[in-house]
Amino acid sequence: MLAWILERWYKWSDNGGDIETVFSRDDLLTHATIYWATNTIGTSIRLYANHNRYPWTPAHDRLPVVQAPTGITFVGYENPPGIGTAQRVEHFRTGDRAEWYNHVNLTVHDHGGHFIPWKIPDEWTSDLRRTFQGRR
């Protein structure tokens, strides 16, 4: 399990796979130990698998489908192979699902990858604040 987790963390890191510049070895072992001791690695993986197997479809025909204020952050190195972040954002904006959301904040960062809260915490925090600003 540790090898599987580390392989993904190396692949999902946007700094050439050097995840130890973001996470210490103790951090990596702590994350893996939590998955192991709580037996939650399966439910963690299932989320990704189920999103691919059973794409979400709305249960009603109202627009926007997701009426709650929604903030979306696109980050570099979290794109499918051969797709740049600008292409991914454009595909989202012009795609059929863009109207599904009540967009209040759409942000793009050149880097951050899968680990955005650890890689660029200040930018990530600013995104959250912009999304929820004035909505208490």
Side-chain angles (χ1 to χ4, degrees), residues 45-92:
I45 297 167
R46 187 177 308 124
L47 174 71
Y48 294 102
N50 284 345
H51 279 298
N52 289 322
R53 289 182 192 136
Y54 314 106
W56 179 78
T57 56
H60 58 80
D61 58 0
R62 295 184 308 272
L63 287 178
V65 175
V66 178
Q67 295 180 344
T70 305
I72 299 174
T73 300
F74 290 93
V75 291
Y77 211 80
E78 186 74 347
N79 303 317
I83 305 294
T85 305
Q87 293 169 295
R88 193 165 155 235
V89 171
E90 184 61 25
H91 180 265
F92 175 77

Side-chain angles (χ1 to χ4, degrees), residues 2-132:
L2 179 59
W4 185 89
I5 289 173
L6 287 175
E7 180 183 4
R8 267 114 197 111
W9 284 357
Y10 277 106
K11 287 182 179 180
W12 295 343
S13 178
D14 69 340
N15 54 340
D18 187 8
I19 59 172
E20 289 185 51
T21 61
V22 178
F23 299 103
S24 70
R25 288 182 180 188
D26 282 343
D27 290 335
L28 295 170
L29 290 172
T30 298
H31 283 278
T33 300
I34 291 169
Y35 281 127
W36 180 263
T38 61
N39 199 26
T40 55
I41 191 68
T43 54
S44 169
I45 297 167
R46 187 177 308 124
L47 174 71
Y48 294 102
N50 284 345
H51 279 298
N52 289 322
R53 289 182 192 136
Y54 314 106
W56 179 78
T57 56
H60 58 80
D61 58 0
R62 295 184 308 272
L63 287 178
V65 175
V66 178
Q67 295 180 344
T70 305
I72 299 174
T73 300
F74 290 93
V75 291
Y77 211 80
E78 186 74 347
N79 303 317
I83 305 294
T85 305
Q87 293 169 295
R88 193 165 155 235
V89 171
E90 184 61 25
H91 180 265
F92 175 77
R93 284 186 171 156
T94 61
D96 61 338
R97 294 189 180 187
E99 65 182 15
W100 283 17
Y101 302 93
N102 176 14
H103 299 235
V104 297
N105 181 32
L106 182 64
T107 308
V108 178
H109 297 289
D110 293 334
H111 60 288
H114 192 75
F115 305 108
I116 185 173
W118 291 276
K119 296 288 299 213
I120 52 173
D122 293 338
E123 292 92 333
W124 184 71
T125 303
S126 294
D127 293 348
L128 287 174
R129 287 183 175 146
R130 252 191 323 280
T131 297
F132 294 106

